[in-house]
Amino acid sequence: MNKRFIYLDHAASTPVDPQVVEAMLPYFNEIYGNASGLHRQARASAKAIDDSRQKVANLLGRSPREIIFTACGTESDNIAILGVAWAQRQAKRGNHLITSSIEHHAVGHTIEQLCEKFGFEQTIVAVDGHGLVDPNDVAAAIRPDTILISVMTANNEVGTIQPIAEIGAIAHVRGIPFHTDAVQAAGYESLLVDVLNVDLLAISGHKIYAPKGIGVLYGRKKIPLLPPFSGGSHENGRRPGTENVPYIVGIAKAMELIQAHQDEEKPRQTKLRDKLIQGVLQSIPNSQLSGHPTQRLANNASFVFGGCEADAILMHLDQVGIQASSGSACNSGMPTPSHVLIAMGISHYLALSALRLTLGKQTTAEDIDTVLEILPQLIWKVRKQGK
Ligand code: PLP
């Protein structure tokens, strides 16, 4: 991959891996049949989808029949939440959902909409100062009419990894479907859904070196889903629409590459991340790590500095060829502090100075050294300008 700058925004999006591009290419103009057809072209497309579904199923440790290809992580979360909510309402099982205060808007806003427009109710479980959900709080929030629990596997802004298997066990004892947004965790954490006690799990292609515009939803067979879209019987009747064969091949290849390289890549990035965190905390006065010190994604180093605005930090970094983000990509450009940092008890003032540096496959030790050389002076300058 061509490197003319230091890219530390992998939580926002990743470059497509050349091996993924190579796997996808034949499916644009050599094998292009509609997989629902009967001729050879169509059968070749159908076979590519079947093979891809099997690869994804292997990584999740389940049956290919439970893999649903979608258009993105947001869509996967929506189908899971809306699909369960409508099915549970139809079966008169209840109206109450439980989620956490640090979810991505793909989950948070979807549940909010169910409550505001369609009469559902939610309990939002608080997190501690590290962004961790306490499984006991989830247990305490359960009501006889609870129909879904949704807690993300790892947070996109601060990288905190949740005790998903414990929360899932609590949900399962009570017979409540459990959904997790694993968009950021995919690539770093195990996605074996039976170990995680998860019934529905969302993945996004562009966070794992596949293109933007493709996602996966794992949906356990026994969980009733009323899909929010109607149309054909694609994806076992759970997501209608002609399959995007090249992108499906791409996300499956990306997941295969994760499986093949995770054992070296995760410790490599963890080491670089720790060097970056220690270096920043030691060299920048009043800097503070956001998120859990150890229970965090291998690629996430997030800070608040105080006395400077995030956008000014990002602009100055960009001028010297370092690309980063102030939190979730969707929040950039808005002067409101991130709901995640506020939920963690970080003050409004500090939350406005958030910096998220997220590493990836092509991040090197030299990149980290360069950032550690530049960032202390840069923060000093931005703080001075802000006075
Ligand atoms: N969930 C999390 C945790 C994310 O970080 C993102 C993207 O930033 C999404 C969901 C949405 O994924 P997509 O961009 O594929 O819609």
Side-chain angles (χ1 to χ4, degrees), residues 270-291:
T270 304
K271 213 168 136 199
L272 293 179
R273 176 204 70 186
D274 289 345
K275 187 177 178 191
L276 179 58
I277 291 175
Q278 278 156 24
V280 167
L281 296 181
Q282 276 164 15
S283 62
I284 304 180
N286 298 323
S287 53
Q288 201 177 300
L289 180 72
S290 327

Side-chain angles (χ1 to χ4, degrees), residues 189-231:
E189 297 303 306
S190 164
L191 298 181
L192 292 170
V193 291
D194 286 345
V195 178
L196 292 172
N197 297 318
V198 158
D199 299 307
L200 300 134
L201 179 143
I203 299 171
S204 168
H206 73 105
K207 313 286 186 179
I208 57 168
Y209 306 89
K212 295 160 188 67
I214 182 75
V216 164
L217 172 64
Y218 164 74
R220 197 175 288 279
K221 206 165 117 204
K222 66 173 190 202
I223 301 292
L225 276 183
L226 252 186
F229 315 128
S230 25

Side-chain angles (χ1 to χ4, degrees), residues 121-197:
E121 291 172 22
Q122 65 171 328
T123 301
I124 303 176
V125 173
V127 293
D128 69 9
H130 292 142
L132 263 185
V133 173
D134 182 343
N136 293 320
D137 291 345
V138 176
I142 294 175
R143 308 193 320 205
D145 62 341
T146 303
I147 51 162
L148 179 70
I149 298 174
S150 177
V151 176
M152 71 200 314
T153 317
N155 183 263
N156 44 306
E157 296 187 35
V158 298
T160 300
I161 299 168
Q162 303 298 339
I164 289 303
E166 274 177 78
I167 300 171
I170 290 167
H172 285 175
V173 166
R174 304 289 293 266
I176 302 165
F178 180 43
H179 163 253
T180 192
D181 175 336
V183 164
Q184 294 291 338
Y188 295 101
E189 297 303 306
S190 164
L191 298 181
L192 292 170
V193 291
D194 286 345
V195 178
L196 292 172
N197 297 318

